[in-house]
Amino acid sequence: MTVIEFFGCSFLAFGPPLAMFMLTIAHDPVRIIILIAAAFFWLLSLLTSSLWWFIVIPLRKELVFGLVFSVCFQEVFRLIIYKIIRKAENGLKKITDDSTALIENKHILAYVSGLGFGIISGMFSLVNVVADAVGPGTMGLKSGNELFFITSSAICLCFILLHTFWGILFFHAIDTNNRLQVAYVVLTHLAASSLTLINRYQVYYATIVPLYALLVFTALYAFRVVGGSITSLKRCIQ
């Protein structure tokens, strides 16, 4: 049962992102490079957050302190990767002949960067959790909650997708100098991360329901920003 739970939780968290990668990124080497670069910059934000947590000794035990600054550093490095990608656009055209559409549609760059942020953040948040799901014990027999693993996987998937949509909104906001949209990304990132603090009380529905509500709204917002409409959605489905 533990091995089945391990694979089930892993596929729940990383199945949709893997499908997104295979269908929309894997065929283009430029997109793969951008995704890896974005993942690297998320790792740099994690390193910076860790160094800041280590320096500020009096607040090491305050989880909220680490959470707030972690979110802030992630958004700072999202801005850095945005600057780098925009400066490198002309150079990217020389890498492959198929990159013209990628450069012309700047939303694709934002999507790939956001997915890179999301995948690496999901891996760091869930790998150790699902590793414990293999055994030898099972959550919920004497202590803990049997919903812990599946809840962690569902939250991981939510954040991977949120990072993808946040990337689209953030890049578009900087391109158009839309400060309100930047504020939306930062504040919803803080709100979503803060909701995970409720998990310590094992009231998981209080975290999952608002997180996925935020995910749906952010997805619709990003869809609207990239020029999506009901008509284009119908054409896509057909």
Side-chain angles (χ1 to χ4, degrees), residues 160-171:
I160 293 174
L161 298 178
L162 277 172
H163 270 294
T164 304
F165 300 135
W166 284 331
I168 295 171
L169 293 173
F170 189 88
F171 277 42

Side-chain angles (χ1 to χ4, degrees), residues 217-236:
F217 181 82
T218 305
L220 293 174
Y221 190 5
F223 180 70
R224 185 64 178 175
V225 161
V226 300
S229 62
I230 297 178
T231 302
S232 62
L233 182 60
K234 289 181 179 178
R235 291 176 181 175
C236 179

Side-chain angles (χ1 to χ4, degrees), residues 59-98:
L59 296 176
R60 284 184 184 178
K61 295 182 179 180
E62 299 295 331
L63 188 58
V64 175
F65 164 77
L67 183 149
V68 170
F69 279 96
S70 176
V71 170
C72 292
F73 284 127
Q74 286 179 56
E75 296 305 329
V76 168
F77 277 90
R78 197 193 302 274
L79 176 61
I80 293 174
I81 190 65
Y82 163 84
K83 295 290 187 180
I84 292 175
I85 289 176
R86 289 293 181 255
K87 288 183 178 296
E89 284 181 351
N90 292 329
L92 290 174
K93 293 180 181 179
K94 301 177 182 179
I95 296 178
T96 174
D97 296 333
D98 297 329

Side-chain angles (χ1 to χ4, degrees), residues 22-34:
M22 295 300 296
L23 294 174
T24 62
I25 296 176
H27 66 278
D28 191 330
V30 175
R31 299 186 189 188
I32 295 175
I33 292 171
I34 294 174

Side-chain angles (χ1 to χ4, degrees), residues 148-216:
F148 173 73
F149 292 120
I150 191 171
T151 300
S152 299
S153 301
I155 292 175
C156 175
L157 172 61
C158 182
F159 270 92
I160 293 174
L161 298 178
L162 277 172
H163 270 294
T164 304
F165 300 135
W166 284 331
I168 295 171
L169 293 173
F170 189 88
F171 277 42
H172 180 265
I174 301 299
D175 285 336
T176 59
N177 196 27
N178 190 333
R179 296 182 179 180
L180 288 178
Q181 199 165 296
V182 173
Y184 173 84
V185 172
V186 176
L187 293 177
T188 53
H189 193 174
L190 279 170
S193 299
S194 299
L195 281 170
T196 61
L197 297 176
I198 303 175
N199 288 340
R200 72 178 73 180
Y201 305 110
Q202 299 185 9
V203 188
Y204 296 128
Y205 65 86
T207 301
I208 290 180
V209 172
L211 273 179
Y212 273 86
L214 176 62
L215 173 61
V216 171

